[in-house]
Amino acid sequence: MFHTPIVPRARKRSRPAEASAPRRERVKFEDVRLYLVERKMGRSRRSFLTELARSKGFIVEDVLSDVVTHVVSEDSQASSLWAWLKGGPVKNLPVMHVLDIDTLAASPEATTPTPMSTVSQYACQRRTTTKNNNKIFTDAFEVLAESHEFNDMEGPCLAFRRAASVLKSLPWTVQNLRVTEDLPCLGEHSMCVIEEILQHGHSFEVEKILSDERYQILKLFTSVFGVGPKTAEKWYRRGLRSFSDVLAEPDIHLNRMQQSGFLHYGDISRAVSKAEAQALGNIIDEAVRAITPDAILTLTGGFRRGKDFGHDVDFIVTTPQLGKEERLLTSVIDRLKQQGILLYCEYQASTFDESKLPSHRFEAMDHFAKCFLILRLEDSQVEGGLQTAEEDRRGWRAVRVDLVSPPVDRYAFTLLGWSGSRQFERDLRRFARMERRMLLDNHALYDKTKKEFLAATTEKDIFAHLGLEYIEPWQRNA
Ligand code: DCT
Ligand code: MG
């Protein structure tokens, strides 16, 4: 339902002269043409909503034709609506968005291209949910970014990641090149890719990369836990083309992480579900609490942003008493080992030194104690069961888990830094540096002008110091 029914009474009776469009000066959204489906909505409600939409500056078409860009319906099932539309009088249905009435009603502006100048070049000034309306474009950009990463071309790689991130934030789907002209971070190359996809449904350049052997092999190698682009490239240059090539090569020394990566490959390359993340949360919670009853445990990373699936599960653990966190992680690790569920553990002790802040290079990775784990998760521990293949009857799976343990006075910075997304983090730091002359990382926020650290106990404090509107975790999927 529209939240602000502000239609003046006099205008409620429809005037024939304005049947299909509001007066010229009232049109706010030139590119959008709505059609309201009477089925289920009813005639009087349809005419009320039509008037309301027009009063808000939308063009509403009386008949369904190929000028329509958005179909609004009471029917929340897009698939059944499509079926109904296909059975209707328009034989060649135009490219349209099917909108549930509540979507339009909850936020009329959200259905339409927002004024372009309002899209910031910084991800931390955009709200990006997990709903990606431009997946067809962002998937292509991510392939291009990755391919440049494999060629060690950091600049273009970052440019494509930024372009993808801008498109992810849009509450509408890009349907023509014109609407992208005023968007930030879309260079000539990105525009060409968008144009290709709009014209042909896919990008030839991206198809070519996807069918390229080197890209395929590097993608395969980097999918192993502990194998980055550098190692993958080294193996490729040695002529290795498959996992069995790598494993059979006598001169290749796999480190412990890579050995576990191969050992548990099938499990840890499969996405972790929310229910599995929840089950792991219970296991870690139990372990942490057995050691320090008042410990603080927080789910972070992609699952905190509301993602349904992730490649791992990230947690922050600390204690309300400063310094007491120091031995927490090693005790948790010991306990998991005793329980027989620790399949792999790399522990990094804290190298955090307050007196050395701010470090010259405010790195992405922090100096807090942390561990990268692979845990054994039993089917019985997961509500609704494990995500396993049909033929898999083991009754357990291996899952990647990361734990980080900052001192409690650094909790807010760590939470903000580990919640992601990576692009959101990059842009927070870039924004701080470029727009505020401040240095932000997972440890602290430093004001270079005032030459002082800015304290924070919550994420909101940090956003406030930066003069940024608060962005909820589920809006940080940049
Ligand atoms: N992070 C970062 N820079 C990096 C790596 C990580 O800022 N180079 C932050 C952002 C996300 C968080 O740490 C956890 O990292 P991942 O688990 O890799 O990301 P994720 O968003 O949780 O993704 P996934 O759902 O796939 O685990
Ligand atoms: Mg994660």
Side-chain angles (χ1 to χ4, degrees), residues 193 196-197 200 202-211:
V193 175
E196 254 191 311
I197 295 174
H200 307 286
H202 60 94
S203 153
F204 294 102
E205 190 186 358
V206 170
E207 302 287 301
K208 198 164 156 247
I209 294 168
L210 288 173
S211 61

Side-chain angles (χ1 to χ4, degrees), residues 300-303 310-314:
T300 180
F303 287 108
H311 93 282
D312 68 357
V313 194
D314 308 285

Side-chain angles (χ1 to χ4, degrees), residues 301-302 305 307 309-312 314 364 417-418 420-422 425 429:
R305 301 197 308 276
K307 278 176 60 176
F309 293 96
H311 93 282
D312 68 357
D314 308 285
W418 277 68
S421 67
R422 276 165 203 234
E425 301 298 335
R429 296 185 198 115

Side-chain angles (χ1 to χ4, degrees), residues 355-371:
S355 67
K356 292 211 175 112
L357 289 178
S359 74
H360 286 297
R361 222 175 62 79
F362 257 44
E363 318 92 312
M365 239 333 146
D366 52 63
H367 294 278
F368 302 129
K370 60 177 72 65
C371 57

